[in-house]
Amino acid sequence: MAPSVLLDVKVTINAVNLSGLGTSASLKMDSDDQETTAFGAGWKSRIGGLKDASLDLEFNQDLAASSVNQTLQPLLGQTVAFTLKQSSGATSATNPEYQGFVFIGEYTPIDGGVGDLAKVKVSYPTSGPVVYATT
């Protein structure tokens, strides 16, 4: 598959499609490493431990119904479903969808200076597994 440019990322939070206001999206997944090095080893050895992920999003702020503020504000303190994929096209092997749950632990509805475009930046930890769907 050829390299691509992010032009049409699809993001939903709590089943609300917020793609039209999104300006940045990042899903970071990682695994703890557990060292298994024993006496006599010349190099460290490791195995994977618990997995974790975080969903970082940036939006142009919008206060209208079914938009950024009206979606995120009431979810503070809740765990809700999310989906994220590179294109709004059909889910497939070349356009996989990441699915899971995020904990909405923070929300900053206003953050900027005079003359700035109203933006919302959020970073939400996942709760449970992140599923990689191709169908």
Side-chain angles (χ1 to χ4, degrees):
M1 188 170 157
S4 60
V5 176
L6 294 177
L7 297 173
D8 189 26
V9 172
K10 183 175 181 187
V11 58
T12 66
I13 302 288
N14 202 32
V16 177
N17 186 343
L18 296 175
S19 305
L21 293 164
T23 60
S24 177
S26 174
L27 177 63
K28 180 184 177 193
M29 298 181 285
D30 58 33
S31 174
D32 291 343
D33 67 81
Q34 300 296 322
E35 188 175 333
T36 59
T37 309
F39 293 122
W43 290 83
K44 290 184 177 183
S45 59
R46 294 179 171 81
I47 60 172
L50 292 173
K51 295 175 185 171
D52 197 9
S54 64
L55 179 64
D56 298 333
L57 303 168
E58 183 174 357
F59 300 102
N60 292 326
Q61 177 61 294
D62 191 335
L63 304 175
S66 297
S67 202
V68 176
N69 191 67
Q70 295 299 319
T71 299
L72 298 179
Q73 179 71 41
L75 297 177
L76 189 61
Q78 297 183 39
T79 300
V80 297
F82 82 91
T83 64
L84 182 68
K85 61 183 176 174
Q86 189 167 324
S87 167
S88 64
T91 301
S92 67
T94 58
N95 189 33
E97 180 176 79
Y98 295 89
Q99 308 165 349
F101 292 87
V102 289
F103 174 67
I104 309 293
E106 54 93 9
Y107 178 62
T108 307
I110 301 171
D111 183 18
V114 65
D116 290 347
L117 179 64
K119 294 277 213 175
V120 174
K121 294 179 186 177
V122 296
S123 181
Y124 297 139
T126 59
S127 181
V130 174
V131 176
Y132 178 84
T134 57
T135 57

